[in-house]
Every structure is written in structure tokens, then in C-alpha cells.
Amino acid sequence: MPVEVIPTGAALGAEIRGLDLSKPLGDADFEAVSQAWYDHVVLLFRGQKVSDDDLIRFSRHFGELDIAPASATDMAGAQEKSRPEIWIISNVVENGKPIGALGDKEAEWHTDMSYVAEPPMASVLYSLEIPSAGGNTSFANMYKALEELPADLRAAIEGRNCNHDSSTTSVGELRAGAHAVLDVREAPGAMHPAIRTHPVTGGKALYLGRRLNGWLEGYSVEESEKLLDRLWAHCAKPEFSWTHRWAVGDLLIWDNRCAIHRRESFDGRERRVMHRTQIKGDAPR
Ligand code: OGA
Ligand code: MN
């Protein structure tokens, strides 16, 4: 059966039909998936029944995988030590310990782990248990956000770096051992170009990481705050985004180089369990 690509009709995202990801992917099928991914930035595969090994095998088509950080493997027993490539995203608490990361709070717009020198190019998220409401995940297309950026804002950031703070998680909580940032110019993390060129598609995209503790190099904190507020208000415009409402068995892969994402909060009395992988990337330029 040929692979079907069904665009969401929004600014990014497409559903792929006709593939069972519990089976190895042939070269032609992967070629079709890969092309669709570069074209649509986020791909959705519905109704999948994949084991952790399947998830790892599928993810490896795109590149080498990151290993979940010690803070994740340290969580309750659910994080299988034998498969360090699997990261658990969950609010479930077992024996007083969370089995995964991010809890039930809202995660504001961000791109994954951009606070390191070589951030992951992609993340893969597979849903095992989902709450009856909330917890939807939205994506925004940063090629389009850059294309539509007002000229004065573009001129203000062209050729500049932005810092990407590592002190807090995507739900805004201080990481273990981190200190609260008092001056954004001193925030720990990484500096990357505010506009990056995608190494495969050659497209230019806005690359800001997250709003919290951001700073545009070369500006006073006050000027940078004003610019970042305008930039983030622009990125968050509905015309650049698409929201995914999860069902069990959905698998998403997104490109961190040209998309940002956010997650709604949900009722913490319900369970949400997702397994995830992360694909290594190179230094933004
Ligand atoms: C992530 C993330 C969103 C979600 O895994 O990087 O932001 O829907 N998760 O859980
Ligand atoms: Mn994320």
C-alpha cells in the first residue's frame, strides 16, 4: 500500500497513512516519510501499537538518538534502564516518585533542549495513556513566522544571537541544582543565531528557544525584552500553528529546527503517559 500524506490544512503538520510502525520501514517508505517531514515539519501517525524497541527503531531512521538525562532515569522504576533512549513524559506518580517528566502543567512555547550547543534536531512522542480533556499539543511553523515577520523586527535580529536559558524546564520549573536567573545576560545555557538555516531544506527559520530568560545579544535588557515580547507575540499567532488532540496510539515527530511547540495543562487526577525519543542535531547556524 502506498504511503498517503494528508496535510492538516494548517500552517504545518501532515498525517501519514498506510504505515504500521511496529514493522521495519522499507527504504522507499522512509524516503516518502522523510520528504513529507521536510515539507510539513510535523508528522502524525495514528493508531500505532509500538513497543519501545519499535519506537527506537523508527526514530533511528532519522539519525542517532540522545540518551535520557540522569534526572529522567533517576525517576521511579518505569524508566527502563535497559533502554536509555526512551524518555517518559508523564504526570503519573508511583510510590511517591514521578515516572516521567513535565507533570500536568502547561508547557509554554519552546523548542526542545536548545540550551545546549548542539540541540536535538527532532523529537518523537508516542501516546500510551491520555486524559479525557486538555493536554493538547500545538506546533508553530518558524519558517512562516520568519517570512511574515515585520521588516523592522527582522532587521533588529538579523545576524544576532539569542541566549537559550537552561535553568528551567519547559513547564517553567527550576531544574535541580540550578539557580534562579537574576540577569538574563548571565543566564546559563547556549547562544544561537536568532535566525537559523535548516541544514537539509536550506530554509531560514526563527530560532528563539523559549521566552523565559531570553536575551538578544548586543541589546540592553530593556531593549531586548521589548523585542522578544514582540517576537513571541508574533510567533504565537494562530495562523502559524496547528493543535493536535491526542488519542491513544498517536505518534508525532517534529523538527525542532523550524518549529516550536506548547502543551496545555490537564487535570492532574487523570493519567497521561507518553514515550519519547530525541534525535541528535548539530550546532544551529
Ligand atoms: C516534549 C514536550 C509535549 C507534550 O516532550 O518535549 O514538550 O505534549 N511534550 O507532552
Ligand atoms: Mn518539548
Side-chain angles (χ1 to χ4, degrees):
M1 194 159 83
V3 174
E4 250 188 297
V5 180
I6 300 141
T8 60
L12 74 174
E15 183 182 343
I16 302 292
R17 288 198 197 145
L19 287 179
D20 174 356
L21 302 182
S22 71
K23 310 245 161 52
L25 274 187
D27 290 347
D29 283 345
F30 177 67
E31 197 44 52
V33 167
S34 168
Q35 190 55 55
W37 190 50
Y38 292 126
D39 292 344
H40 300 285
V41 182
V42 186
L43 297 182
L44 162 65
F45 303 79
R46 294 188 202 268
Q48 301 295 320
K49 276 209 174 89
V50 296
S51 66
D52 284 343
D53 286 338
D54 296 335
L55 187 57
I56 291 168
R57 187 188 56 239
F58 170 72
S59 306
R60 279 205 180 124
H61 280 282
F62 295 84
E64 204 186 323
L65 303 191
D66 273 334
I67 299 301
S71 57
T73 44
D74 206 33
M75 288 173 182
Q79 179 75 47
E80 281 190 59
K81 306 278 190 287
S82 62
R83 289 187 190 79
E85 300 90 348
I86 297 290
W87 310 37
I88 297 174
I89 304 294
S90 184
N91 65 318
V92 172
V93 175
E94 275 170 16
N95 305 320
K97 274 185 150 189
I99 66 163
L102 299 187
D104 55 26
K105 289 200 192 129
E106 177 185 351
E108 286 186 29
W109 288 113
H110 67 279
T111 193
D112 289 327
M113 280 181 64
S114 59
Y115 47 82
V116 299
E118 298 186 341
M121 68 159 104
S123 306
V124 181
L125 195 58
Y126 172 61
S127 67
L128 293 144
E129 296 183 57
I130 53 148
S132 58
N136 299 321
T137 308
S138 301
F139 297 86
N141 185 329
M142 292 299 103
Y143 295 126
K144 291 200 173 152
L146 180 65
E147 263 166 42
E148 305 282 320
L149 197 62
D152 70 313
L153 257 184
R154 182 157 181 158
I157 62 166
E158 197 92 52
R160 299 223 181 220
N161 285 321
C162 184
N163 79 330
H164 294 238
D165 168 54
S166 63
S167 71
T168 62
T169 67
S170 7
V171 291
E173 287 169 349
L174 207 58
R175 285 180 208 282
H179 299 284
V181 169
L182 302 175
D183 181 337
V184 290
R185 294 168 300 187
E186 310 280 308
M191 282 282 181
H192 297 301
I195 298 173
R196 72 180 290 185
T197 305
H198 193 292
V200 179
T201 66
K204 285 183 183 290
L206 259 180
Y207 192 66
L208 301 173
R210 62 197 62 188
R211 176 65 187 90
L212 192 60
N213 297 326
W215 174 57
L216 285 163
E217 197 177 28
Y219 285 108
S220 68
V221 173
E222 201 187 351
E223 286 170 313
S224 165
E225 289 290 306
K226 276 193 203 143
L227 287 168
L228 287 173
D229 282 344
R230 282 184 65 201
L231 285 161
W232 280 101
H234 174 79
C235 290
K237 284 183 183 165
E239 62 257 40
F240 303 131
S241 74
W242 164 68
T243 297
H244 179 56
R245 290 177 180 77
W246 291 93
V248 169
D250 286 349
L251 185 150
L252 286 183
I253 174 166
W254 63 84
D255 192 330
N256 282 310
R257 298 165 291 192
C258 50
I260 54 174
H261 57 282
R262 66 177 289 267
R263 183 194 75 188
E264 294 168 0
S265 61
F266 57 97
D267 185 339
R269 291 167 301 186
E270 294 199 61
R271 291 168 62 97
R272 188 176 190 269
V273 181
M274 329 282 274
H275 283 195
R276 183 183 185 293
T277 59
Q278 202 167 268
I279 299 149
K280 286 185 194 293
D282 44 21
R285 58 184 87 234

